[in-house]
Amino acid sequence: MIVANMEIISQRKIASDVYELVLKGAELVNYATQGQFLHLKVSEGTDPLLRRPISIAKIDKEKGELTVIYRAEGKGTSMLALKQAGEEVSVLGPLGNGFSLNGTKRGEVAVLIGGGIGVPPLYELSLQLVSAGVKVIHVLGFAGSDDVFYEEKFTKLGETYVATMDGTYGEAGTVIDVIDKKGLSFDTIYSCGPTPMLKAIEKSFPEKKGFLSLEERMGCGIGACFACVCHVKNDPTRNAYKKICTDGPVFAIGEVEL
Amino acid sequence: MSKLNMELPGLSMKNPIMPASGCFGFGQEYGKLYDLSKLGAIAIKATTVETRFGNPTPRVAETSSGMLNAIGLQNPGLEHVLGNELVWLENYDVPIIANVAGSKIEDYIEVAEKISKAQNVHALELNISCPNVKEGGIAFGTNPEVASELTKLVKEVSDVPVYVKLSPNVTDIVEMAVAVEKAGADGLSMINTLLGMRIDLKKRKPILANGFGGLSGPAVKPVAIRMVHQVSQAVSIPIIGMGGVSTAEDVVEFFLAGASAVAVGTANFVDPFVCPNIIDKLPSVLDELEVTHISELIGGSWK
């Protein structure tokens, strides 16, 4: 993990308030793995003060580039969205424990379930799973048609279903509705998205093994401030904890309380 | 010759820069990034008798040039800290300031007595100012009589000097400072966080699960500077100043206000290398100001 300035290679809007940012030029690209995140400082001054945790969507070690995708919704991410190619961003990373590829064997089927701005880290994961000989199915949920992104890219890697809550694109309903309706069968689940979605996945497929990537408001991103802790399941003392920034953000299904 | 070494009660420091309690864990995360022996001291995370999980999340919310936190004194408990965290810190040549917290007087006494006997604990920081716990914490730090009583009792059992960490959430911080000095405090550390709140517009509820939390970061620095300026003129014990420090210039400002050492808190979250960076930068800032040794600056704004 290092702090470095990375150059913006490109920044483009890929859906309503959603931006794809390509960064280049730091050694940290070589260590990054699927499911990890970067802690970005969006301005040099003190407002906003803290870094923004943003998950890595694609790692290109040959070019030395990292792609991140984020939603511009608060002050910090809206400022980040104004940055242009050629400008620099201070990056702390790569942070966190990403998705392990050991959970699925060659020839097995993995379903990658993403919700909204939880979709991006699944892209690098899918690239890695495919190159490891795993068959991937993607189920991507969004609020509406304006929010959909990366459908084509995922489709190139495997079967891809898009669900929208308002029914304006793809299948109407939740990602779980789509899995049920299409009768999808799979060996492993990998998911990232809003907590209610992760809870629904845990509840709907109790017998399946899998991994969930969690989100929480973070401070330092390196495990020192204890802002982003969660309880461990089946812990009668209620004192055991995991830090989402360093023990996670990816946990095995059933490991922590959602 | 060093321009930065400082001698404070219990603390023989290479430089007057330390990470603030609660912003540095027990050092292990930062120990992966740089040599902790570079620091003047380390104020470790508050320790209570029992293990504490702390508050529900969200525990942090950002504000203009600052942040609110309501962690709730999460820590592994006294026995664990003595047997693990402090033992690990023995790898480094750096004095440790143990931050002592509790919900009852007996808790403070138990933690103070035992933790002050640890080989590398050179001072205690009595936490009577945590705003984020329902019992104890700030309740001990807003009434001068209660604060002095606790200070006396802790002084009786501690093997090392005791610094009392003051809360800014009082009407008259000078009165508090004078009271704990009379009760035997060897030093003060100030300020803890200011009580604050942010509200989510859509949910119409506070962002922090705890409702309110402690405000820190550059936003609180002028408040801290003013309080150090006032208190340092009213007491004769040294002050570890803190509140929004993120640059070497901020350190100079705290010294001029009356501090004899400075703790860096929230800035560690923005740049994990901030403490060593400040330590490296300080000598040249002192040169620019034609200062031979940093101690010359103490109270320079009112002396």
XYZ file of all heavy atoms in Angstrom, chain B residues 241-303:
458
model
N -0.755 19.958 22.783
C -1.814 20.617 22.026
C -2.277 19.750 20.867
O -1.477 19.056 20.243
N -3.556 19.799 20.582
C -4.079 19.045 19.433
C -5.416 19.623 19.000
O -6.094 20.295 19.774
C -4.231 17.574 19.790
C -5.313 17.298 20.803
S -5.167 15.652 21.527
C -3.787 15.903 22.631
N -5.759 19.329 17.768
C -7.000 19.827 17.190
C -6.710 20.351 15.792
O -6.286 21.487 15.635
N -6.851 19.490 14.811
C -6.706 19.927 13.424
C -5.294 20.109 12.920
O -5.091 20.718 11.865
N -4.315 19.558 13.628
C -2.927 19.715 13.165
C -2.687 18.852 11.927
O -2.932 17.648 11.945
C -1.925 19.287 14.264
C -0.501 19.321 13.729
C -2.077 20.178 15.477
N -2.221 19.471 10.843
C -1.871 18.653 9.678
C -0.589 19.107 8.988
O -0.147 18.459 8.045
C -3.041 18.590 8.685
O -3.583 19.851 8.459
N 0.010 20.206 9.454
C 1.260 20.663 8.838
C 2.256 21.096 9.918
O 1.884 21.290 11.083
C 1.017 21.902 7.935
O 0.580 22.987 8.773
C -0.023 21.633 6.865
N 3.511 21.276 9.495
C 4.540 21.758 10.420
C 4.192 23.177 10.906
O 4.457 23.530 12.054
C 5.902 21.752 9.723
N 3.561 23.963 10.046
C 3.164 25.318 10.438
C 2.106 25.269 11.547
O 2.105 26.109 12.453
C 2.624 26.095 9.226
C 3.691 26.546 8.239
C 4.192 25.423 7.311
O 3.637 24.304 7.355
O 5.138 25.681 6.553
N 1.211 24.290 11.464
C 0.209 24.137 12.531
C 0.894 23.854 13.861
O 0.468 24.333 14.917
C -0.741 22.961 12.211
C -1.635 23.228 11.007
O -1.819 24.400 10.660
O -2.147 22.239 10.428
N 1.963 23.055 13.818
C 2.704 22.721 15.036
C 3.269 24.007 15.648
O 3.149 24.247 16.854
C 3.838 21.714 14.726
C 4.716 21.499 15.963
C 3.261 20.396 14.225
N 3.861 24.836 14.806
C 4.427 26.101 15.285
C 3.330 26.951 15.931
O 3.508 27.545 16.997
C 5.105 26.864 14.119
C 5.476 28.280 14.546
C 6.336 26.102 13.640
N 2.164 26.975 15.291
C 1.064 27.788 15.827
C 0.650 27.303 17.226
O 0.415 28.108 18.135
C -0.128 27.761 14.855
C -1.150 28.851 15.151
C -2.269 28.920 14.110
O -2.151 28.303 13.030
O -3.267 29.607 14.396
N 0.578 25.975 17.400
C 0.228 25.433 18.720
C 1.290 25.775 19.763
O 0.969 26.104 20.909
C 0.002 23.920 18.649
C -1.443 23.551 18.403
C -1.919 23.357 17.112
C -2.334 23.423 19.464
C -3.251 23.044 16.881
C -3.670 23.104 19.239
C -4.135 22.916 17.952
N 2.570 25.707 19.361
C 3.634 26.088 20.301
C 3.502 27.562 20.686
O 3.607 27.918 21.851
C 5.018 25.793 19.697
C 5.525 24.423 20.060
C 5.004 23.287 19.476
C 6.531 24.275 21.018
C 5.455 22.027 19.818
C 6.991 23.003 21.372
C 6.453 21.881 20.776
N 3.265 28.404 19.705
C 3.119 29.829 19.998
C 1.929 30.085 20.918
O 1.939 30.988 21.749
C 2.962 30.631 18.698
C 4.227 30.736 17.843
C 3.907 31.370 16.493
C 5.320 31.529 18.568
N 0.901 29.248 20.798
C -0.268 29.390 21.670
C 0.061 28.979 23.096
O -0.580 29.435 24.044
C -1.423 28.544 21.132
N 1.056 28.073 23.246
C 1.430 27.664 24.600
C 1.629 26.168 24.796
O 1.835 25.714 25.912
N 1.573 25.400 23.706
C 1.767 23.949 23.819
C 3.263 23.626 23.874
O 4.088 24.363 23.337
C 1.130 23.240 22.625
N 3.584 22.484 24.518
C 4.973 22.016 24.590
C 5.187 20.744 23.771
O 6.290 20.209 23.714
C 5.353 21.731 26.035
O 5.203 22.895 26.805
N 4.122 20.224 23.215
C 4.167 19.089 22.294
C 2.851 19.137 21.528
O 1.924 19.854 21.938
C 4.305 17.769 23.045
N 2.797 18.384 20.438
C 1.605 18.452 19.602
C 1.198 17.045 19.155
O 2.055 16.231 18.809
C 1.863 19.360 18.374
C 0.800 19.172 17.314
C 1.919 20.826 18.807
N -0.099 16.789 19.202
C -0.593 15.501 18.714
C -1.345 15.706 17.396
O -2.048 16.700 17.218
C -1.502 14.861 19.756
N -1.147 14.749 16.511
C -1.764 14.788 15.180
C -2.849 13.719 15.133
O -2.563 12.546 15.389
C -0.710 14.520 14.088
C -1.342 14.597 12.703
C 0.459 15.481 14.210
N -4.069 14.124 14.834
C -5.177 13.174 14.869
C -5.722 12.835 13.505
O -5.157 12.029 12.756
N -6.809 13.500 13.146
C -7.534 13.219 11.914
C -6.646 13.202 10.667
O -6.898 12.451 9.732
C -8.644 14.284 11.755
O -9.429 14.253 12.937
C -9.531 14.002 10.565
N -5.600 14.042 10.670
C -4.730 14.122 9.488
C -4.103 12.777 9.131
O -3.781 12.524 7.968
C -3.640 15.173 9.706
N -3.951 11.879 10.130
C -3.433 10.543 9.835
C -4.342 9.765 8.880
O -3.893 8.857 8.180
C -3.296 9.712 11.121
C -2.170 10.189 11.998
O -1.007 10.069 11.650
N -2.526 10.763 13.142
N -5.627 10.099 8.900
C -6.577 9.386 8.036
C -6.493 9.882 6.591
O -6.814 9.166 5.654
C -8.023 9.564 8.526
C -8.251 9.141 9.955
C -9.287 9.679 10.687
C -7.422 8.197 10.557
C -9.504 9.283 12.005
C -7.622 7.808 11.878
C -8.673 8.356 12.600
N -6.099 11.132 6.451
C -6.013 11.717 5.112
C -4.692 11.310 4.466
O -4.637 10.925 3.303
C -6.109 13.259 5.198
C -6.042 13.866 3.803
C -7.389 13.678 5.918
N -3.619 11.404 5.249
C -2.298 11.003 4.768
C -1.613 10.193 5.865
O -1.189 10.753 6.873
C -1.459 12.244 4.444
C -0.044 11.867 4.021
O 0.261 10.660 3.927
O 0.766 12.782 3.802
N -1.525 8.887 5.692
C -0.948 8.061 6.764
C 0.506 8.405 7.082
O 1.005 8.029 8.133
C -1.085 6.628 6.238
C -1.404 6.738 4.799
C -1.999 8.088 4.559
N 1.158 9.134 6.192
C 2.555 9.510 6.434
C 2.681 10.910 7.039
O 3.781 11.472 7.074
C 3.351 9.450 5.120
C 3.454 8.066 4.547
C 2.563 7.628 3.582
C 4.440 7.183 4.987
C 2.649 6.341 3.057
C 4.542 5.900 4.469
C 3.636 5.476 3.499
N 1.593 11.495 7.477
C 1.627 12.903 7.906
C 2.585 13.146 9.067
O 3.297 14.150 9.085
C 0.197 13.436 8.209
C -0.399 12.771 9.429
C 0.202 14.943 8.374
N 2.652 12.243 10.048
C 3.531 12.486 11.214
C 5.004 12.535 10.805
O 5.683 13.527 11.096
C 3.285 11.459 12.310
S 1.724 11.704 13.184
N 5.535 11.509 10.123
C 6.934 11.624 9.697
C 7.164 12.808 8.752
O 8.229 13.439 8.814
C 7.231 10.289 8.998
C 5.932 9.612 8.806
C 4.996 10.162 9.821
N 6.190 13.138 7.926
C 6.356 14.293 7.026
C 6.490 15.595 7.818
O 7.327 16.439 7.497
C 5.174 14.406 6.054
C 5.212 13.315 4.981
O 6.223 12.614 4.839
N 4.124 13.152 4.255
N 5.669 15.756 8.849
C 5.755 16.962 9.686
C 7.118 17.012 10.390
O 7.769 18.062 10.436
C 4.600 16.998 10.722
C 3.267 17.275 10.024
C 4.879 18.045 11.810
C 2.054 17.221 10.942
N 7.553 15.867 10.914
C 8.835 15.819 11.639
C 9.982 16.205 10.698
O 10.892 16.947 11.088
C 9.047 14.411 12.247
C 8.014 14.165 13.368
C 10.475 14.241 12.782
C 7.857 12.712 13.789
N 9.924 15.745 9.465
C 10.973 16.090 8.487
C 10.949 17.567 8.112
O 11.977 18.173 7.836
C 10.805 15.254 7.205
C 11.178 13.799 7.433
O 11.911 13.525 8.416
O 10.734 12.940 6.641
N 9.761 18.121 8.077
C 9.593 19.505 7.605
C 9.906 20.531 8.688
O 10.335 21.648 8.380
C 8.142 19.652 7.121
C 7.748 20.992 6.545
C 8.096 21.112 5.065
C 7.875 22.501 4.521
N 6.467 22.953 4.589
N 9.671 20.164 9.953
C 9.780 21.144 11.044
C 11.099 21.913 11.102
O 11.075 23.151 11.219
C 9.537 20.459 12.397
C 8.151 20.639 13.032
C 8.084 19.853 14.339
C 7.829 22.108 13.304
N 12.267 21.238 11.005
C 13.517 22.003 11.120
C 13.613 23.154 10.118
O 14.039 24.260 10.483
C 14.595 20.938 10.853
C 13.960 19.659 11.271
C 12.519 19.789 10.890
N 13.171 22.923 8.877
C 13.297 24.010 7.897
C 12.299 25.131 8.182
O 12.585 26.308 7.946
C 13.143 23.475 6.470
O 11.857 22.963 6.286
N 11.134 24.792 8.712
C 10.174 25.834 9.093
C 10.744 26.660 10.249
O 10.616 27.893 10.278
C 8.804 25.211 9.467
C 7.856 26.265 10.032
C 8.176 24.542 8.254
N 11.425 25.983 11.192
C 12.046 26.709 12.309
C 13.159 27.627 11.793
O 13.294 28.765 12.247
C 12.597 25.731 13.349
C 11.551 24.874 14.085
C 12.240 23.936 15.076
C 10.516 25.729 14.811
N 13.934 27.109 10.822
C 15.000 27.937 10.230
C 14.435 29.211 9.621
O 14.962 30.296 9.829
C 15.738 27.153 9.133
C 16.673 26.107 9.723
O 16.961 26.195 10.949
O 17.097 25.199 8.976
N 13.363 29.029 8.865
C 12.740 30.201 8.228
C 12.314 31.237 9.259
O 12.354 32.436 9.009
C 11.497 29.783 7.442
C 11.784 29.272 6.052
C 10.551 28.603 5.457
O 9.425 29.086 5.692
O 10.732 27.574 4.757
N 11.897 30.760 10.425
C 11.436 31.666 11.479
C 12.593 32.094 12.392
O 12.372 32.770 13.403
C 10.344 30.987 12.307
C 9.053 30.655 11.560
C 8.172 29.714 12.361
C 8.279 31.930 11.226
N 13.811 31.646 12.019
C 15.015 31.959 12.801
C 14.898 31.505 14.252
O 15.211 32.244 15.198
C 15.354 33.449 12.692
C 15.681 33.832 11.259
C 15.960 35.316 11.089
O 15.762 36.079 12.049
O 16.397 35.690 9.987
N 14.406 30.282 14.401
C 14.261 29.689 15.728
C 15.306 28.582 15.865
O 15.412 27.721 14.998
C 12.836 29.105 15.896
C 12.720 28.326 17.188
C 11.806 30.227 15.849
N 16.100 28.618 16.927
C 17.159 27.632 17.102
C 16.620 26.314 17.647
O 17.037 25.234 17.248
C 18.223 28.154 18.098
O 18.331 29.559 17.932
C 19.545 27.489 17.880
N 15.691 26.405 18.584
C 15.087 25.199 19.151
C 13.592 25.430 19.335
O 13.177 26.529 19.750
C 15.734 24.848 20.497
C 15.370 23.471 20.951
N 14.213 23.201 21.634
C 16.003 22.274 20.792
C 14.141 21.896 21.885
N 15.213 21.312 21.382
N 12.831 24.383 19.061
C 11.363 24.560 19.058
C 10.821 25.040 20.406
O 9.810 25.737 20.466
C 10.664 23.267 18.578
C 9.185 23.539 18.263
C 10.836 22.121 19.587
C 8.520 22.510 17.394
N 11.537 24.703 21.494
C 11.049 25.100 22.827
C 10.997 26.628 22.989
O 10.241 27.133 23.820
C 11.923 24.476 23.920
O 13.266 24.862 23.721
N 11.783 27.328 22.163
C 11.746 28.801 22.238
C 10.375 29.356 21.875
O 10.050 30.505 22.201
C 12.763 29.410 21.247
C 14.204 29.138 21.595
C 15.103 29.383 20.376
O 14.765 30.244 19.542
O 16.124 28.692 20.283
N 9.597 28.559 21.168
C 8.301 29.055 20.684
C 7.180 28.954 21.713
O 6.130 29.584 21.550
C 7.877 28.265 19.439
C 8.719 28.420 18.173
C 8.284 27.382 17.144
C 8.566 29.826 17.605
N 7.405 28.148 22.756
C 6.294 27.851 23.684
C 5.719 29.128 24.287
O 6.428 29.898 24.934
C 6.758 26.901 24.819
C 7.260 25.578 24.233
C 5.617 26.636 25.804
C 7.999 24.686 25.233
N 4.440 29.350 24.055
C 3.774 30.529 24.610
C 4.205 31.839 23.970
O 3.924 32.921 24.498
N 4.881 31.742 22.844
C 5.425 32.933 22.193
C 4.401 33.985 21.807
O 4.742 35.142 21.582
N 3.143 33.605 21.757
C 2.118 34.574 21.366
C 1.645 35.424 22.534
O 0.940 36.415 22.338
C 0.910 33.846 20.760
O 0.311 33.011 21.730
N 2.006 35.037 23.747
C 1.559 35.850 24.902
C 2.683 36.215 25.868
O 2.494 37.025 26.762
C 0.416 35.145 25.656
C 0.678 33.706 26.058
C 0.275 32.597 25.384
C 1.382 33.231 27.212
N 0.677 31.449 26.039
C 1.354 31.809 27.166
C 2.026 33.855 28.291
C 1.950 31.007 28.141
C 2.623 33.053 29.267
C 2.583 31.646 29.188
N 3.858 35.605 25.662
C 4.939 35.889 26.621
C 5.532 37.260 26.370
O 5.609 37.691 25.232
C 6.033 34.828 26.497
C 5.800 33.671 27.457
C 6.890 32.594 27.314
C 6.559 31.409 28.205
N 7.318 30.202 27.826
